[in-house]
Amino acid sequence: MTLHLLLSACRRLAFSGLLVCGSIAVAAATGTDNNNPKAASASNSSNSAAVVRGIDVSRWQKEVDWDMVSQSGVSFSFIKATEGDYKQDPFFARNWEETKRHGIKRGAYHFYKPEIPVARQVELFTSTVTIEPGDLPPVLDLEVMDRELTPEQLRKDVRTWLEAVTAHYGVRPIIYTGQNYYRRYLKGYFPDYHFWIARYSDVKPDIHHTDSWMFWQFTDRGSIAGINSAVDINFFAGDFEQLNLLCVPEFMAHNRYDRESPLSQLKHLQPLP
């Protein structure tokens, strides 16, 4: 997609209800209660219109020129880290470091394989990814289904992954999925988690009234300077300040070695004597 097409897409989105003049309240985009004081406060915190655009990358984009990407209006990037219980993305380490170095908000995601034991998938992801303050929450990528698995068992296993990763990092993950997968298997079952929905349409994601979406993957055919292949383009349902609020705070970011020492989390709140 050229810059012209992206601008055209943004104009179409304006009519579909995602982009509005002034700040964009997260509550409005997610379908949560507009009378919520916290949501209202977040909405009023910005007095300028902003389209917060991001990408997601994996080995398919190969070696990304993050310097050029950072100059292309990209505010955040989700980076593939792991898949199943055996595969690490060969470009993860480089992408993870380069996004931070160039001031792009970063988040790591795990491609879930329903046929593989959950514990092994949790171990691979948590042993690969170290989250730092300012990073986006981890993401569970749900796209495939196992014929031997019932929807109920899938949801049970997914919840096990989400809760284990929450316990490890101290922050709830985001669930990525396509609109159809969401409707078939997830709709209304995970109200405590934000969704990132892939829907290649001018119409924003359609979700259950108890759910909320934070990110919309608008196309998988985007064109960004610094990437020599098609790339997914995503919009965040809010302004940049709200994106910052979604990121991991200082006192919650830790790696797997902190699990033995819960008190280590308090050192960021008050210096030890």
Side-chain angles (χ1 to χ4, degrees):
M1 182 188 297
T2 63
L3 178 59
H4 174 75
L5 290 176
L6 280 174
L7 292 174
S8 176
C10 288
R11 286 194 290 270
R12 294 198 304 271
L13 286 171
F15 289 102
S16 71
L18 177 63
L19 307 180
V20 295
C21 294
S23 62
I24 305 173
V26 173
T30 60
T32 52
D33 186 357
N34 289 333
N35 294 321
N36 185 318
K38 292 184 179 179
S41 176
S43 175
N44 294 330
S45 64
S46 174
N47 57 11
S48 61
V51 178
V52 182
R53 183 180 62 149
I55 58 176
D56 55 277
V57 297
S58 66
R59 65 185 179 88
W60 298 110
Q61 282 70 45
K62 299 184 179 178
E63 193 163 301
V64 175
D65 185 334
W66 288 104
D67 183 48
M68 293 183 67
V69 171
S70 68
Q71 300 176 48
S72 302
V74 171
S75 299
F76 63 88
S77 179
F78 287 109
I79 302 163
K80 184 175 182 179
T82 52
E83 179 176 332
D85 65 343
Y86 64 95
K87 187 181 293 184
Q88 296 184 20
D89 191 283
F91 291 90
F92 171 70
R94 180 182 185 276
N95 288 334
W96 192 243
E97 292 304 317
E98 286 292 293
T99 44
K100 180 181 180 180
R101 191 164 74 87
H102 288 91
I104 298 172
K105 292 292 183 186
R106 63 184 186 177
Y109 73 88
H110 172 76
F111 189 93
Y112 187 76
K113 306 283 284 190
E115 71 275 16
I116 295 175
V118 180
R120 300 207 316 245
Q121 299 197 61
V122 170
E123 175 59 27
L124 178 61
F125 183 78
T126 56
S127 63
T128 300
V129 179
T130 299
I131 291 179
E132 299 179 359
D135 291 339
L136 289 162
V139 174
L140 181 61
D141 181 345
L142 297 173
E143 301 183 41
V144 296
M145 182 58 171
D146 183 3
R147 293 181 180 179
E148 303 299 321
L149 218 60
T150 64
E152 291 76 18
Q153 186 61 48
L154 170 72
R155 288 189 287 267
K156 180 180 178 181
D157 293 344
V158 164
R159 190 171 298 279
T160 297
W161 193 97
L162 293 169
E163 291 177 351
V165 170
T166 298
H168 180 86
Y169 293 110
V171 60
R172 284 178 180 164
I174 296 167
I175 302 173
Y176 168 89
T177 192
Q179 182 71 71
N180 290 335
Y181 194 102
Y182 167 81
R183 286 173 177 164
R184 181 173 295 181
Y185 302 116
L186 309 174
K187 184 176 181 180
Y189 286 97
F190 296 92
D192 295 331
Y193 298 88
H194 293 310
F195 281 89
W196 166 19
I197 303 289
R199 189 178 196 183
Y200 306 149
S201 166
D202 289 350
V203 182
K204 66 183 180 180
D206 180 24
I207 60 170
H208 190 266
H209 68 90
T210 61
D211 294 335
S212 65
W213 65 267
M214 289 287 100
F215 298 91
W216 173 7
Q217 190 179 93
F218 175 72
T219 181
D220 61 350
R221 299 180 181 180
S223 178
I224 296 290
I227 302 178
N228 296 322
S229 63
V231 65
D232 301 332
I233 303 292
N234 304 275
F235 290 103
F236 172 64
D239 57 29
F240 192 74
E241 183 174 346
Q242 290 163 342
L243 182 66
N244 279 330
L245 291 174
L246 185 65
C247 292
V248 178
E250 176 73 22
F251 68 91
M252 292 180 70
H254 61 289
N255 61 33
R256 64 187 186 278
Y257 300 109
D258 289 324
R259 286 181 296 181
E260 300 296 330
S261 180
L263 289 178
S264 67
Q265 295 305 296
L266 300 178
K267 68 183 180 183
H268 300 293
L269 298 179
Q270 183 175 344
L272 296 175

